[in-house]
Amino acid sequence: MARRRGRGGATVRIVGLEQLRARLAELEPELIEASKRTVEAAAEAVRDETRQNVRVKTGNLRNKVGIHYSSDHLKASVGWKDRADWYAAAQEFGTKSIPAQPALGPAMEAERARFEARLRAEVERILR
């Protein structure tokens, strides 16, 4: 409820703020788990799309694209970690003699567009 005070000022009183804070504190563990599920689903989608679109000669790059999670599983890194897979960068970005055929970058951009909806759906499921 707001009341005008003088010129341009307003006083706002929020009713139920402490109850809201308590309820959000109760939901925190569930929201963190929902965030982890969202990060994992997004990382798997990027990995799978990269596997579908990477240039295949021997199948090594397709088979070795991996996911590496942070210790809390709230961050994920998708790509090639083995030094023997150095040529993944040449495929992704191109060289003087090899045209770029990106697979990881487009997969990440596609997932960026879907991530917010994934997270929103998980949070809404908890709040219902």
Side-chain angles (χ1 to χ4, degrees):
M1 179 172 181
R3 281 187 253 148
R4 281 188 79 97
R5 252 194 193 181
R7 255 183 156 206
T11 300
V12 177
R13 191 172 131 229
I14 301 173
V15 178
L17 186 59
E18 289 307 313
Q19 291 89 346
L20 176 61
R21 284 186 179 146
R23 180 67 179 128
L24 288 174
E26 289 172 14
L27 290 174
E28 185 178 9
E30 288 181 70
L31 292 170
I32 290 171
E33 287 304 313
S35 299
K36 289 178 183 181
R37 284 192 303 273
T38 303
V39 168
E40 289 174 1
E44 289 169 5
V46 170
R47 180 199 58 207
D48 295 346
E49 190 171 329
T50 300
R51 283 181 176 167
Q52 287 178 343
N53 297 319
V54 72
R55 183 189 290 173
V56 176
K57 185 173 182 181
T58 65
N60 185 57
L61 292 183
R62 180 190 59 222
N63 297 336
K64 289 179 72 178
V65 64
I67 303 171
H68 305 277
Y69 295 101
S70 63
S71 60
D72 61 6
H73 270 243
L74 291 173
K75 295 180 193 173
S77 174
V78 180
W80 297 273
K81 295 291 185 180
D82 191 338
R83 286 183 172 222
D85 300 328
W86 61 269
Y87 60 97
Q91 297 296 323
E92 193 75 15
F93 302 110
T95 67
K96 287 183 181 181
S97 58
I98 300 171
Q101 285 193 317
L104 182 58
M108 288 172 47
E109 287 303 315
E111 184 54 34
R112 182 187 313 260
R114 296 184 295 247
F115 185 79
E116 184 179 338
R118 282 184 198 272
L119 185 57
R120 181 178 286 122
E122 283 286 337
V123 170
E124 286 175 356
R125 187 182 59 74
I126 290 169
L127 296 178
R128 286 190 190 125

